[in-house]
């Protein structure tokens, strides 16, 4: 009895199928344009979402090419791009601050039509807030409330610096505190709690300085390393005595007598002063403190 040999038939996709006589499937090849057998997996090309390279925009997110934001103070508007309906209102506010060169500490009153957005809306999606392609929003800068800050010296003297704003820099507060304390030859360093305030470029709002804040002030002499005669500090030395410096200049010991180049008063032996090696002169580190009577220990 002859045994039927399996024969190989080419399929449409180039595969080879083995058919036997007992096989009930058709023995003719599948036409290229015919229906594809259900048992063969179909090849699906991965869908590409038109996100414009923005990973924040998902496949199901509707991209917003631009949203117009109008500044009531500058009387101009700018288009904010790179957003989608799933972007938060906080991201829109951040981009608006960048476009209008508003500092991070600046607070905006953002409105969309008759609706005024608040702090509770910052984490909401633009789509949920009704912001779509071509929407026009507007904002005004919030008027900061003025407040006072108390500054106390180590001697227990209390000074009040008034009419401050959160946008004020720390360096400006230090200058106002020195003016309130009537410092001339001295400078102040501010301390809040146990933290020394050293970054003069930060704002009071960023440092947490507000109404009713109590600061401590440390006073120290200004370096005053500039010579009053040549107006240069290249050849100046600070905290020296006239006797040792006079001998270093090779001058005679019995002619060691100098007056301050700033106030004209006599400089005492052993008194710490500043000196200019080019002009061969001396001046007080603080003329005001030099004229104060010496206190007994």
């Amino acid at each position: 009895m002859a045994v039927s040999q399996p024969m190989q038939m080419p399929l449409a996709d180039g595969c080879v199928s083995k058919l036997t006589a007992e096989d009930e499937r058709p023995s003719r090849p599948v036409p290229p344009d015919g229906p594809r057998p259900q048992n063969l997996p179909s090849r699906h090309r991965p869908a590409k979402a038109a996100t414009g390279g923005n990973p924040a925009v998902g496949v199901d997110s509707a991209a917003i090419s631009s949203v117009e934001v109008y500044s009531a103070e500058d009387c101009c508007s700018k288009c904010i791009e790179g957003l989608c309906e799933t972007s938060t209102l906080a991201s829109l506010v951040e981009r608006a601050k960048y476009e209008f060169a508003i500092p991070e500490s600046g607070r905006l009153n953002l409105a969309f039509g008759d609706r005024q957005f608040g702090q509770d809306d910052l984490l909401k999606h633009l789509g949920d807030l009704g912001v779509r392609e071509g929407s026009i929003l507007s904002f005004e800068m919030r008027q900061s409330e003025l407040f006072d800050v108390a500054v106390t010296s180590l001697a227990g003297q209390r000074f009040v610096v008034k009419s401050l704003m959160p946008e004020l820099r720390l360096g400006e507060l230090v200058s106002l505190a020195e003016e309130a304390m009537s410092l001339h030859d001295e400078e102040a360093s501010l301390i809040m709690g146990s933290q020394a305030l050293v970054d003069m470029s930060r704002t009071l709002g960023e440092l947490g300085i507000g109404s009713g804040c109590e600061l401590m002030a440390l006073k120290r002499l200004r370096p005053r390393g500039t010579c009053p005669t040549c107006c240069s500090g290249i050849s100046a030395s600070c905290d020296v005595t006239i006797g040792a410096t006079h001998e270093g200049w090779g001058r005679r010991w019995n002619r060691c007598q100098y007056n301050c180049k700033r106030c004209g008063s006599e400089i005492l032996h052993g008194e710490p002063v500043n000196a200019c090696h080019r002009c061969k002169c001396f001046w007080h580190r603080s003329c005001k403190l030099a004229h104060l009577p010496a206190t007994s220990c």
Side-chain angles (χ1 to χ4, degrees):
M1 182 178 179
V3 179
S4 60
Q5 298 293 332
M7 60 180 177
Q8 299 179 352
M9 299 297 293
L11 297 180
D13 52 358
C15 298
V16 177
S17 176
K18 295 182 178 182
L19 301 178
T20 60
E22 293 81 11
D23 208 338
E24 296 180 356
R25 290 179 294 179
S27 59
R28 55 187 179 86
V30 179
D33 54 350
R36 193 176 186 87
Q38 296 182 1
N39 59 345
L40 294 179
S42 59
R43 300 176 183 176
H44 296 283
R45 180 173 298 178
K48 296 182 179 180
T51 60
N54 188 358
V57 182
V59 177
D60 299 331
S61 301
I64 302 177
S65 60
S66 64
V67 173
E68 186 175 351
V69 178
Y70 176 79
S71 172
E73 295 185 357
D74 299 332
C75 297
C76 66
S77 61
K78 294 186 178 181
C79 292
I80 310 299
E81 301 178 348
L83 300 172
C84 66
E85 292 186 1
T86 57
S87 300
T88 61
L89 183 64
S91 62
L92 173 59
V93 172
E94 181 181 357
R95 291 173 181 264
K97 287 183 178 181
Y98 175 80
E99 291 293 337
F100 288 93
I102 300 174
E104 295 182 0
S105 58
R107 297 180 297 175
L108 308 181
N109 284 329
L110 191 63
F112 179 42
D114 297 334
R115 179 173 181 178
Q116 190 80 25
F117 294 126
Q119 293 293 329
D120 298 336
D121 299 323
L122 292 179
L123 298 181
K124 295 182 180 179
H125 296 161
L126 298 181
D128 298 336
L129 297 175
V131 179
R132 299 289 188 272
E133 171 71 24
S135 298
I136 301 178
L137 295 88
S138 62
F139 73 90
E140 294 179 350
M141 295 297 298
R142 296 182 185 177
Q143 298 297 329
S144 302
E145 297 181 359
L146 302 180
F147 59 90
D148 301 338
V149 168
V151 179
T152 306
S153 65
L154 290 180
Q157 296 176 313
R158 193 171 187 270
F159 306 89
V160 178
V161 183
K162 300 181 178 181
S163 302
L164 301 177
M165 297 183 298
E167 295 80 13
L168 196 70
R169 303 285 179 181
L170 177 61
E172 300 176 78
L173 174 60
V174 172
S175 299
L176 294 175
E178 292 174 349
E179 182 180 353
M181 300 171 65
S182 301
L183 301 183
H184 300 286
D185 298 334
E186 299 168 300
E187 59 184 9
S189 299
L190 299 182
I191 299 176
M192 183 173 61
S194 60
Q195 177 185 5
L197 305 178
V198 295
D199 192 350
M200 299 298 170
S201 62
R202 300 189 65 182
T203 63
L204 303 187
E206 294 173 347
L207 295 172
I209 300 177
S211 178
C213 187
E214 296 281 344
L215 302 177
M216 180 69 69
L218 298 180
K219 296 187 296 183
R220 63 181 180 181
L221 291 176
R222 297 182 186 274
R224 291 195 177 277
T226 303
C227 175
T229 303
C230 64
C231 299
S232 175
I234 299 178
S235 303
S237 296
C238 299
D239 199 11
V240 298
T241 59
I242 60 175
T245 309
H246 178 83
E247 292 182 4
W249 290 342
R251 295 184 174 182
R252 299 181 62 178
W253 64 271
N254 57 352
R255 293 185 179 181
C256 183
Q257 185 175 1
Y258 295 91
N259 294 333
C260 176
K261 281 296 182 179
R262 290 189 181 274
C263 62
S265 61
E266 182 182 359
I267 297 178
L268 304 178
H269 288 273
E271 182 181 1
V273 291
N274 298 337
C276 179
H277 301 282
R278 177 190 297 176
C279 304
K280 303 295 190 295
C281 65
F282 298 90
W283 64 94
H284 290 119
R285 296 187 302 168
S286 172
C287 297
K288 177 182 177 181
L289 296 181
H291 297 159
L292 294 178
T295 59
S296 60
C297 298

